[in-house]
Amino acid sequence: MALLPILEFPDPRLRTVAKPVTEVDDKIRQLVADMFDTMYDAPGIGLAASQVNVHKRVVVIDVSEDKSQPLVFINPEIEVLDPEVSEYDEGCLSVPGFYETVVRPNHIRVKALDRDGNPFEMEPQGLLAVCIQHELDHLNGKLFVDHISPLKRTRIRAKMDKKHKAEAR
């Protein structure tokens, strides 16, 4: 078990676009295990490899109350199945302590590889669909704060900068 340091906004490394995984090997499986440990410890319901400064297209998610439904998405691709959108209050382990309303499609199809490199598809709705989209944004160098007003984003950045300066003392 290894807990990985989580990058925090406005760290520029969070803007790095992740590269596809070319082979699902023991190194990737260890990354997945460490990401689950880190996510559960934080605590969170989703974590992208980009958030732990590994710029590969790997996401772990568990939206269950009891941490019993761990999901792994390697090289995920999504397709919107229903244009209807929903508003969710989103938070992020890379922007701790902040929650803002984000509008996203409510029903998607995701294609990915599992932790053993086997391809799979699913058609999640609701919270799981939103969480997958949120984590996929990370892989593309985006954060949930990019979906809110510039004024709110600037305020959050200022508070995060102040927090980081205080921690550096």
Side-chain angles (χ1 to χ4, degrees), residues 8 10 157-169:
E8 291 188 357
R157 182 185 182 121
K159 289 177 182 178
M160 291 298 293
D161 282 340
K162 185 176 180 180
K163 173 187 180 251
H164 294 139
K165 283 179 185 165
E167 290 172 351
R169 286 186 202 143

Side-chain angles (χ1 to χ4, degrees), residues 8-157:
E8 291 188 357
F9 178 72
D11 192 310
R13 295 172 290 181
L14 288 167
R15 299 302 184 177
T16 304
V17 176
K19 298 198 176 345
V21 172
T22 54
E23 179 186 359
V24 179
D25 55 15
D26 287 343
K27 189 173 180 182
I28 293 295
R29 281 187 281 277
Q30 184 61 56
L31 172 63
V32 165
D34 292 345
M35 286 173 63
F36 272 118
D37 290 342
T38 302
M39 179 188 75
Y40 288 137
D41 183 71
I45 61 170
L47 186 67
S50 301
Q51 292 176 270
V52 293
N53 202 29
V54 176
H55 302 286
K56 296 193 179 294
R57 297 187 77 77
V58 177
V59 166
V60 298
I61 292 174
D62 189 341
V63 296
S64 68
E65 292 287 325
D66 60 356
K67 303 176 183 176
S68 65
Q69 298 171 17
L71 298 169
V72 177
F73 300 88
I74 298 172
N75 298 337
E77 295 177 14
I78 63 168
E79 171 188 353
V80 175
L81 294 179
D82 183 345
E84 184 177 330
V85 295
S86 295
E87 291 184 349
Y88 281 88
D89 280 342
E90 291 189 24
C92 181
L93 297 176
S94 291
V95 193
F98 294 92
Y99 297 87
E100 292 292 338
T101 301
V102 177
V103 176
R104 296 189 190 268
N106 194 43
H107 188 196
I108 63 170
R109 173 181 296 126
V110 60
K111 296 178 182 180
L113 303 175
D114 67 15
R115 73 173 76 212
D116 295 316
N118 300 311
F120 72 96
E121 276 186 41
M122 63 188 318
E123 294 185 8
Q125 296 182 3
L127 178 61
L128 181 56
V130 167
C131 189
I132 290 168
Q133 292 170 81
H134 176 109
E135 300 308 332
L136 198 60
D137 273 357
H138 280 298
L139 300 182
N140 295 324
K142 290 182 73 176
L143 298 167
F144 87 96
V145 294
D146 298 331
H147 294 278
I148 62 176
S149 74
L151 178 61
K152 285 183 178 180
R153 185 170 44 254
T154 300
R155 285 183 181 158
I156 290 172
R157 182 185 182 121

